[in-house]
């Protein structure tokens, strides 16, 4: 019986990848790395790694001595076993190192929530200004929406469970149109995670329509050079697929105590929407009237909602 050391190392690596992904799901930290709609896909990957691990186990030991006898009796030079168990050369070590590094970080370094330092590196206010400019200039045609009063309810007599709403990654186009119609009729806008991107897009696109309306939202504090002492950004990170494509979204805000609030502090605020100018660009601004510090939410990221267009 022959033991193949490198085949054993490969089996360990396959098992480690499977265990790491399952562990991320078990601890809930997977949502700090990917959009929740890909959770089933990542579980499938973990299962495939485990299957490959089981297959790899069959390669660790070999019981055939046929080749050994053939080499011994014929005098031919046979070196397949030597290659399999030869010492690691630089190329092999580098290959294994590429695989071991993500495993080490996955097991021993906890997933860290993106913060203000990352937002600044991604552009911060420059990105927010461009988002507003893009929303205003985009050629967008709204679907025809039937006349509805503020009391009309697309969901019938009972509104859906808010907890179930938060878990959804897709809504019908009819519901999307209704949410936008409902937004324009609200006197106080609540920026919950589920509808954040829908409301955020429309407020940036039509800031003048929402001027004077009250708004309630949460976010972490971002500050930049050039801000007035009473200015900050109530920020969130938008994750489309994974943290590699994370982008900053949020609202420039004003409150007298801004200079006393540290960056990365999570706050819940209530204020009034107004319009201001930053670096020559008009954008919505929140005049905060009331706020309080809060703990970082269990789900700090915002995820876009897919709109299912009916046939």
């Amino acid at each position: 019986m022959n033991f193949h050391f490198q085949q054993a190392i490969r089996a360990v690596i396959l098992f480690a990848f499977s265990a790491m992904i399952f562990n991320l799901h078990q601890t809930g930290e997977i949502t700090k790395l990917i959009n929740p709609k890909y959770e089933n896909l990542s579980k499938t990957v973990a299962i495939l790694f485990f299957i490959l691990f089981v297959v790899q186990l069959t390669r660790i030991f070999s019981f055939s001595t046929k080749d050994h006898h053939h080499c011994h009796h014929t005098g031919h030079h046979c070196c397949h076993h030597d290659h399999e168990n030869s010492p690691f050369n630089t190329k092999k070590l580098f290959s294994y190192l590429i695989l071991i590094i993500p495993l080490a970080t996955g097991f021993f370094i906890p997933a860290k929530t993106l913060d203000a330092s990352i937002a600044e590196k991604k552009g911060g206010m420059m990105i927010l200004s461009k988002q507003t400019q893009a929303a205003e200039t985009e050629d967008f045609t709204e679907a025809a929406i039937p006349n509805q009063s503020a009391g009309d309810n697309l969901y019938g007599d009972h509104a859906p469970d808010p907890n179930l709403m938060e878990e959804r990654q897709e809504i019908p186009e009819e519901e999307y149109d209704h949410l936008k119609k409902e937004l324009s009729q609200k006197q106080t806008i609540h920026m919950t995670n589920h509808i954040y991107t829908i409301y955020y897009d429309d407020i940036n696109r039509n800031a003048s329509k929402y001027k004077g309306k009250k708004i309630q939202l949460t976010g972490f504090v971002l500050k930049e050079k050039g801000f007035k002492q009473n200015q900050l950004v109530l920020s969130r990170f938008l994750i489309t697929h994974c943290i590699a494509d994370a982008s900053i979204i949020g609202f420039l805000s004003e409150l007298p105590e801004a200079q006393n609030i540290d960056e990365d502090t999570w706050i819940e605020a209530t204020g009034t929407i107004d319009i201001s100018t930053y670096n020559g660009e008009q954008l919505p601004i929140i005049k905060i009237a009331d706020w309080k510090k809060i703990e970082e939410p269990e789900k700090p990221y915002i995820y876009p909602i897919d709109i299912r267009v009916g046939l």
Side-chain angles (χ1 to χ4, degrees):
M1 182 173 67
N2 299 307
F3 173 75
H4 304 294
F5 180 71
Q6 290 188 46
Q7 297 291 357
I9 292 295
R10 292 166 188 167
V12 169
I13 290 174
L14 287 168
F15 179 79
F17 270 110
S18 178
M20 180 184 69
I21 297 173
F22 276 122
N23 182 63
L24 288 171
H25 281 278
Q26 181 67 27
T27 60
E29 290 196 326
I30 192 70
T31 57
K32 293 183 179 180
L33 303 174
I34 63 172
N35 188 317
K37 71 180 181 181
Y38 296 117
E39 284 191 28
N40 289 335
L41 180 60
S42 67
K43 289 177 182 178
T44 301
V45 171
I47 293 171
L48 288 176
F49 272 125
F50 186 78
I51 293 173
L52 291 174
F53 158 71
V54 174
V55 173
Q56 185 65 22
L57 288 177
T58 64
R59 301 176 179 177
I60 296 176
F61 295 97
S62 63
F63 299 91
S64 175
T65 58
K66 179 179 178 180
D67 291 338
H68 174 74
H69 288 307
H70 175 74
C71 295
H72 177 73
H73 290 298
T74 62
H76 291 164
H77 178 66
C78 300
C79 59
H80 57 278
H81 293 302
D82 291 334
H83 281 311
E84 188 62 44
N85 295 292
S86 62
F88 291 114
N89 56 36
T90 303
K91 185 177 179 180
K92 287 181 180 178
L93 284 173
F94 183 73
S95 299
Y96 285 121
L97 188 63
I98 291 175
L99 297 173
I100 292 172
I101 287 177
L103 286 172
T105 56
F107 278 113
F108 302 113
I109 300 178
K112 184 177 181 295
T113 304
L114 300 179
D115 56 18
S117 63
I118 303 299
E120 290 169 1
K121 291 177 182 177
K122 287 180 173 289
M125 275 303 301
M126 182 181 295
I127 298 298
L128 298 184
S129 298
K130 288 182 178 179
Q131 289 171 355
T132 302
Q133 185 179 18
E136 291 175 347
T137 58
E138 184 180 349
D139 182 15
F140 179 80
T141 304
E142 290 186 328
I145 304 175
N147 292 327
Q148 294 173 308
S149 66
D152 288 343
N153 188 350
L154 179 67
Y155 312 107
D157 295 332
H158 301 286
D161 185 339
N163 294 324
L164 296 178
M165 290 284 287
E166 289 292 331
E167 298 298 325
R168 297 168 61 190
Q169 295 294 318
E170 182 182 78
I171 61 174
E173 185 179 23
E174 181 186 17
E175 183 176 346
Y176 170 74
D177 291 338
H178 176 80
L179 287 171
K180 293 185 66 176
K181 178 72 174 180
E182 188 180 58
L183 172 63
S184 66
Q185 297 169 337
K186 287 184 174 182
Q187 291 305 309
T188 300
I189 300 168
H190 295 275
M191 300 290 286
T192 61
N193 285 3
H194 174 68
I195 48 79
Y196 197 105
T197 54
I198 297 173
Y199 285 7
Y200 180 77
D201 177 71
D202 208 52
I203 292 171
N204 275 281
R205 192 187 304 278
N206 305 292
S208 60
K209 184 169 68 173
Y210 298 101
K211 183 178 179 180
K213 286 183 179 290
K214 289 185 178 180
I215 185 170
Q216 184 178 27
L217 70 167
T218 61
F220 66 89
V221 172
L222 170 65
K223 297 180 180 179
E224 289 193 1
K225 292 180 180 179
F227 275 13
K228 298 177 183 177
Q229 288 189 338
N230 68 334
Q231 289 183 328
L232 54 79
V233 177
L234 269 182
S235 313
R236 302 294 295 266
F237 274 102
L238 176 70
I239 308 294
T240 304
H241 302 294
C242 65
I243 58 171
D245 61 35
S247 59
I248 188 73
I249 58 176
F251 294 95
L252 180 63
S253 305
E254 292 183 351
L255 74 159
E257 305 93 334
Q259 60 182 328
N260 300 322
I261 306 176
D262 295 330
E263 275 198 326
D264 290 323
T265 301
W266 278 84
I267 69 174
E268 179 182 293
T270 302
T272 303
I273 300 174
D274 203 346
I275 299 176
S276 184
T277 302
Y278 185 84
N279 286 344
E281 295 291 340
Q282 278 198 338
L283 72 169
I285 185 172
I286 309 300
K287 304 282 188 177
I288 297 177
D290 186 38
W291 66 278
K292 64 179 180 180
K293 291 183 181 180
I294 61 172
E295 294 295 323
E296 179 184 299
E298 183 180 348
K299 296 180 180 180
Y301 301 144
I302 298 295
Y303 308 100
I305 300 295
D306 295 329
I307 311 302
R308 185 174 69 250
V309 179
L311 297 178

